[in-house]
PDB file of all heavy atoms in Angstrom:
ATOM      1  N   TYR A 266       7.089 -18.838  36.293  1.00 91.00           N
ATOM      2  CA  TYR A 266       6.194 -20.006  36.293  1.00 91.00           C
ATOM      3  C   TYR A 266       6.626 -21.017  37.356  1.00 91.00           C
ATOM      4  O   TYR A 266       5.791 -21.578  38.073  1.00 91.00           O
ATOM      5  CB  TYR A 266       6.202 -20.662  34.905  1.00 91.00           C
ATOM      6  CG  TYR A 266       5.597 -22.036  34.899  1.00 91.00           C
ATOM      7  CD1 TYR A 266       4.211 -22.206  34.909  1.00 91.00           C
ATOM      8  CD2 TYR A 266       6.393 -23.179  34.930  1.00 91.00           C
ATOM      9  CE1 TYR A 266       3.643 -23.473  34.935  1.00 91.00           C
ATOM     10  CE2 TYR A 266       5.840 -24.444  34.956  1.00 91.00           C
ATOM     11  CZ  TYR A 266       4.469 -24.588  34.964  1.00 91.00           C
ATOM     12  OH  TYR A 266       3.916 -25.839  35.005  1.00 91.00           O
ATOM     13  N   MET A 267       7.954 -21.246  37.463  1.00 92.00           N
ATOM     14  CA  MET A 267       8.459 -22.237  38.421  1.00 92.00           C
ATOM     15  C   MET A 267       8.107 -21.846  39.865  1.00 92.00           C
ATOM     16  O   MET A 267       7.725 -22.702  40.671  1.00 92.00           O
ATOM     17  CB  MET A 267       9.977 -22.375  38.246  1.00 92.00           C
ATOM     18  CG  MET A 267      10.606 -23.466  39.096  1.00 92.00           C
ATOM     19  SD  MET A 267      11.205 -22.866  40.665  1.00 92.00           S
ATOM     20  CE  MET A 267      12.552 -21.844  40.152  1.00 92.00           C
ATOM     21  N   ILE A 268       8.203 -20.552  40.181  1.00 92.00           N
ATOM     22  CA  ILE A 268       7.825 -20.122  41.538  1.00 92.00           C
ATOM     23  C   ILE A 268       6.321 -20.306  41.742  1.00 92.00           C
ATOM     24  O   ILE A 268       5.872 -20.772  42.789  1.00 92.00           O
ATOM     25  CB  ILE A 268       8.252 -18.655  41.788  1.00 92.00           C
ATOM     26  CG1 ILE A 268       9.784 -18.554  41.810  1.00 92.00           C
ATOM     27  CG2 ILE A 268       7.669 -18.132  43.111  1.00 92.00           C
ATOM     28  CD1 ILE A 268      10.322 -17.156  42.011  1.00 92.00           C
ATOM     29  N   GLY A 269       5.530 -19.955  40.722  1.00 91.00           N
ATOM     30  CA  GLY A 269       4.080 -20.157  40.813  1.00 91.00           C
ATOM     31  C   GLY A 269       3.730 -21.620  40.998  1.00 91.00           C
ATOM     32  O   GLY A 269       2.846 -21.977  41.786  1.00 91.00           O
ATOM     33  N   ARG A 270       4.442 -22.485  40.294  1.00 91.00           N
ATOM     34  CA  ARG A 270       4.188 -23.931  40.381  1.00 91.00           C
ATOM     35  C   ARG A 270       4.507 -24.457  41.783  1.00 91.00           C
ATOM     36  O   ARG A 270       3.899 -25.413  42.245  1.00 91.00           O
ATOM     37  CB  ARG A 270       5.030 -24.628  39.307  1.00 91.00           C
ATOM     38  CG  ARG A 270       4.979 -26.115  39.234  1.00 91.00           C
ATOM     39  CD  ARG A 270       3.594 -26.678  39.153  1.00 91.00           C
ATOM     40  NE  ARG A 270       2.963 -26.602  37.852  1.00 91.00           N
ATOM     41  CZ  ARG A 270       1.644 -26.609  37.693  1.00 91.00           C
ATOM     42  NH1 ARG A 270       0.840 -26.634  38.748  1.00 91.00           N
ATOM     43  NH2 ARG A 270       1.103 -26.557  36.512  1.00 91.00           N
ATOM     44  N   ASN A 271       5.470 -23.825  42.461  1.00 91.00           N
ATOM     45  CA  ASN A 271       5.845 -24.247  43.822  1.00 91.00           C
ATOM     46  C   ASN A 271       5.408 -23.218  44.865  1.00 91.00           C
ATOM     47  O   ASN A 271       6.097 -22.997  45.858  1.00 91.00           O
ATOM     48  CB  ASN A 271       7.357 -24.469  43.890  1.00 91.00           C
ATOM     49  CG  ASN A 271       7.789 -25.622  43.020  1.00 91.00           C
ATOM     50  OD1 ASN A 271       7.530 -26.768  43.329  1.00 91.00           O
ATOM     51  ND2 ASN A 271       8.417 -25.315  41.894  1.00 91.00           N
ATOM     52  N   ALA A 272       4.236 -22.608  44.614  1.00 90.00           N
ATOM     53  CA  ALA A 272       3.759 -21.520  45.481  1.00 90.00           C
ATOM     54  C   ALA A 272       3.656 -21.947  46.942  1.00 90.00           C
ATOM     55  O   ALA A 272       4.021 -21.196  47.844  1.00 90.00           O
ATOM     56  CB  ALA A 272       2.400 -21.030  44.983  1.00 90.00           C
ATOM     57  N   VAL A 273       3.180 -23.171  47.193  1.00 90.00           N
ATOM     58  CA  VAL A 273       2.999 -23.636  48.580  1.00 90.00           C
ATOM     59  C   VAL A 273       4.349 -23.687  49.281  1.00 90.00           C
ATOM     60  O   VAL A 273       4.502 -23.240  50.420  1.00 90.00           O
ATOM     61  CB  VAL A 273       2.310 -25.016  48.607  1.00 90.00           C
ATOM     62  CG1 VAL A 273       2.179 -25.513  50.038  1.00 90.00           C
ATOM     63  CG2 VAL A 273       0.938 -24.933  47.947  1.00 90.00           C
ATOM     64  N   LEU A 274       5.352 -24.211  48.580  1.00 90.00           N
ATOM     65  CA  LEU A 274       6.695 -24.320  49.156  1.00 90.00           C
ATOM     66  C   LEU A 274       7.268 -22.923  49.445  1.00 90.00           C
ATOM     67  O   LEU A 274       7.794 -22.672  50.534  1.00 90.00           O
ATOM     68  CB  LEU A 274       7.594 -25.077  48.173  1.00 90.00           C
ATOM     69  CG  LEU A 274       9.012 -25.429  48.640  1.00 90.00           C
ATOM     70  CD1 LEU A 274       8.977 -26.337  49.857  1.00 90.00           C
ATOM     71  CD2 LEU A 274       9.787 -26.102  47.511  1.00 90.00           C
ATOM     72  N   PHE A 275       7.152 -22.020  48.488  1.00 90.00           N
ATOM     73  CA  PHE A 275       7.677 -20.664  48.678  1.00 90.00           C
ATOM     74  C   PHE A 275       6.921 -19.922  49.781  1.00 90.00           C
ATOM     75  O   PHE A 275       7.506 -19.124  50.513  1.00 90.00           O
ATOM     76  CB  PHE A 275       7.624 -19.874  47.359  1.00 90.00           C
ATOM     77  CG  PHE A 275       8.804 -20.111  46.467  1.00 90.00           C
ATOM     78  CD1 PHE A 275       8.852 -21.226  45.639  1.00 90.00           C
ATOM     79  CD2 PHE A 275       9.877 -19.239  46.457  1.00 90.00           C
ATOM     80  CE1 PHE A 275       9.956 -21.463  44.817  1.00 90.00           C
ATOM     81  CE2 PHE A 275      10.981 -19.458  45.639  1.00 90.00           C
ATOM     82  CZ  PHE A 275      11.022 -20.579  44.817  1.00 90.00           C
ATOM     83  N   SER A 276       5.622 -20.185  49.904  1.00 89.00           N
ATOM     84  CA  SER A 276       4.829 -19.519  50.946  1.00 89.00           C
ATOM     85  C   SER A 276       5.301 -19.885  52.344  1.00 89.00           C
ATOM     86  O   SER A 276       5.057 -19.166  53.303  1.00 89.00           O
ATOM     87  CB  SER A 276       3.350 -19.900  50.811  1.00 89.00           C
ATOM     88  OG  SER A 276       2.861 -19.444  49.574  1.00 89.00           O
ATOM     89  N   HIS A 277       5.969 -21.035  52.454  1.00 88.00           N
ATOM     90  CA  HIS A 277       6.471 -21.472  53.765  1.00 88.00           C
ATOM     91  C   HIS A 277       7.873 -20.954  54.041  1.00 88.00           C
ATOM     92  O   HIS A 277       8.494 -21.337  55.024  1.00 88.00           O
ATOM     93  CB  HIS A 277       6.448 -23.002  53.844  1.00 88.00           C
ATOM     94  CG  HIS A 277       5.079 -23.532  54.117  1.00 88.00           C
ATOM     95  ND1 HIS A 277       4.030 -23.339  53.242  1.00 88.00           N
ATOM     96  CD2 HIS A 277       4.572 -24.208  55.175  1.00 88.00           C
ATOM     97  CE1 HIS A 277       2.946 -23.891  53.746  1.00 88.00           C
ATOM     98  NE2 HIS A 277       3.237 -24.421  54.918  1.00 88.00           N
ATOM     99  N   ALA A 278       8.383 -20.105  53.156  1.00 89.00           N
ATOM    100  CA  ALA A 278       9.717 -19.531  53.350  1.00 89.00           C
ATOM    101  C   ALA A 278       9.632 -18.014  53.175  1.00 89.00           C
ATOM    102  O   ALA A 278      10.047 -17.465  52.149  1.00 89.00           O
ATOM    103  CB  ALA A 278      10.694 -20.143  52.347  1.00 89.00           C
ATOM    104  N   PRO A 279       9.040 -17.303  54.174  1.00 89.00           N
ATOM    105  CA  PRO A 279       8.851 -15.847  54.049  1.00 89.00           C
ATOM    106  C   PRO A 279      10.144 -15.090  53.748  1.00 89.00           C
ATOM    107  O   PRO A 279      10.138 -14.093  53.024  1.00 89.00           O
ATOM    108  CB  PRO A 279       8.291 -15.430  55.414  1.00 89.00           C
ATOM    109  CG  PRO A 279       7.742 -16.676  56.013  1.00 89.00           C
ATOM    110  CD  PRO A 279       8.533 -17.821  55.455  1.00 89.00           C
ATOM    111  N   MET A 280      11.261 -15.602  54.276  1.00 90.00           N
ATOM    112  CA  MET A 280      12.546 -14.926  54.038  1.00 90.00           C
ATOM    113  C   MET A 280      12.891 -14.956  52.538  1.00 90.00           C
ATOM    114  O   MET A 280      13.335 -13.951  51.967  1.00 90.00           O
ATOM    115  CB  MET A 280      13.633 -15.637  54.838  1.00 90.00           C
ATOM    116  CG  MET A 280      14.986 -14.978  54.778  1.00 90.00           C
ATOM    117  SD  MET A 280      16.084 -15.871  55.889  1.00 90.00           S
ATOM    118  CE  MET A 280      17.650 -15.352  55.243  1.00 90.00           C
ATOM    119  N   THR A 281      12.656 -16.104  51.905  1.00 90.00           N
ATOM    120  CA  THR A 281      12.897 -16.213  50.459  1.00 90.00           C
ATOM    121  C   THR A 281      11.991 -15.247  49.704  1.00 90.00           C
ATOM    122  O   THR A 281      12.427 -14.576  48.763  1.00 90.00           O
ATOM    123  CB  THR A 281      12.647 -17.656  49.966  1.00 90.00           C
ATOM    124  OG1 THR A 281      13.488 -18.544  50.690  1.00 90.00           O
ATOM    125  CG2 THR A 281      12.940 -17.792  48.478  1.00 90.00           C
ATOM    126  N   LEU A 282      10.716 -15.188  50.118  1.00 90.00           N
ATOM    127  CA  LEU A 282       9.773 -14.295  49.435  1.00 90.00           C
ATOM    128  C   LEU A 282      10.254 -12.848  49.482  1.00 90.00           C
ATOM    129  O   LEU A 282      10.175 -12.121  48.489  1.00 90.00           O
ATOM    130  CB  LEU A 282       8.377 -14.402  50.056  1.00 90.00           C
ATOM    131  CG  LEU A 282       7.602 -15.698  49.786  1.00 90.00           C
ATOM    132  CD1 LEU A 282       6.218 -15.626  50.421  1.00 90.00           C
ATOM    133  CD2 LEU A 282       7.467 -15.973  48.291  1.00 90.00           C
ATOM    134  N   GLU A 283      10.775 -12.443  50.656  1.00 90.00           N
ATOM    135  CA  GLU A 283      11.276 -11.066  50.782  1.00 90.00           C
ATOM    136  C   GLU A 283      12.439 -10.818  49.816  1.00 90.00           C
ATOM    137  O   GLU A 283      12.524  -9.761  49.176  1.00 90.00           O
ATOM    138  CB  GLU A 283      11.723 -10.801  52.222  1.00 90.00           C
ATOM    139  CG  GLU A 283      10.548 -10.639  53.183  1.00 90.00           C
ATOM    140  CD  GLU A 283      10.987 -10.566  54.638  1.00 90.00           C
ATOM    141  OE1 GLU A 283      12.208 -10.463  54.895  1.00 90.00           O
ATOM    142  OE2 GLU A 283      10.110 -10.625  55.528  1.00 90.00           O
ATOM    143  N   ILE A 284      13.326 -11.816  49.703  1.00 91.00           N
ATOM    144  CA  ILE A 284      14.484 -11.686  48.800  1.00 91.00           C
ATOM    145  C   ILE A 284      14.008 -11.617  47.348  1.00 91.00           C
ATOM    146  O   ILE A 284      14.496 -10.800  46.554  1.00 91.00           O
ATOM    147  CB  ILE A 284      15.473 -12.859  49.016  1.00 91.00           C
ATOM    148  CG1 ILE A 284      16.121 -12.727  50.402  1.00 91.00           C
ATOM    149  CG2 ILE A 284      16.541 -12.900  47.921  1.00 91.00           C
ATOM    150  CD1 ILE A 284      16.908 -13.932  50.856  1.00 91.00           C
ATOM    151  N   VAL A 285      13.031 -12.477  47.004  1.00 92.00           N
ATOM    152  CA  VAL A 285      12.487 -12.490  45.634  1.00 92.00           C
ATOM    153  C   VAL A 285      11.894 -11.116  45.300  1.00 92.00           C
ATOM    154  O   VAL A 285      12.157 -10.549  44.231  1.00 92.00           O
ATOM    155  CB  VAL A 285      11.413 -13.591  45.474  1.00 92.00           C
ATOM    156  CG1 VAL A 285      10.692 -13.466  44.133  1.00 92.00           C
ATOM    157  CG2 VAL A 285      12.046 -14.979  45.590  1.00 92.00           C
ATOM    158  N   ALA A 286      11.101 -10.564  46.230  1.00 91.00           N
ATOM    159  CA  ALA A 286      10.468  -9.255  45.990  1.00 91.00           C
ATOM    160  C   ALA A 286      11.521  -8.157  45.847  1.00 91.00           C
ATOM    161  O   ALA A 286      11.435  -7.307  44.951  1.00 91.00           O
ATOM    162  CB  ALA A 286       9.507  -8.925  47.126  1.00 91.00           C
ATOM    163  N   ALA A 287      12.537  -8.184  46.726  1.00 91.00           N
ATOM    164  CA  ALA A 287      13.574  -7.143  46.697  1.00 91.00           C
ATOM    165  C   ALA A 287      14.378  -7.208  45.403  1.00 91.00           C
ATOM    166  O   ALA A 287      14.620  -6.176  44.753  1.00 91.00           O
ATOM    167  CB  ALA A 287      14.503  -7.300  47.899  1.00 91.00           C
ATOM    168  N   ILE A 288      14.774  -8.423  45.005  1.00 92.00           N
ATOM    169  CA  ILE A 288      15.564  -8.560  43.764  1.00 92.00           C
ATOM    170  C   ILE A 288      14.704  -8.191  42.564  1.00 92.00           C
ATOM    171  O   ILE A 288      15.170  -7.538  41.626  1.00 92.00           O
ATOM    172  CB  ILE A 288      16.150  -9.985  43.654  1.00 92.00           C
ATOM    173  CG1 ILE A 288      17.307 -10.105  44.641  1.00 92.00           C
ATOM    174  CG2 ILE A 288      16.610 -10.282  42.224  1.00 92.00           C
ATOM    175  CD1 ILE A 288      18.107 -11.362  44.571  1.00 92.00           C
TER     176      ILE A 288
END
Side-chain angles (χ1 to χ4, degrees):
Y266 166 78
M267 185 267 292
I268 293 178
R270 178 52 78 204
N271 294 288
V273 178
L274 186 61
F275 276 82
S276 297
H277 281 63
M280 185 175 161
T281 302
L282 289 182
E283 286 172 9
I284 292 169
V285 171
I288 286 187

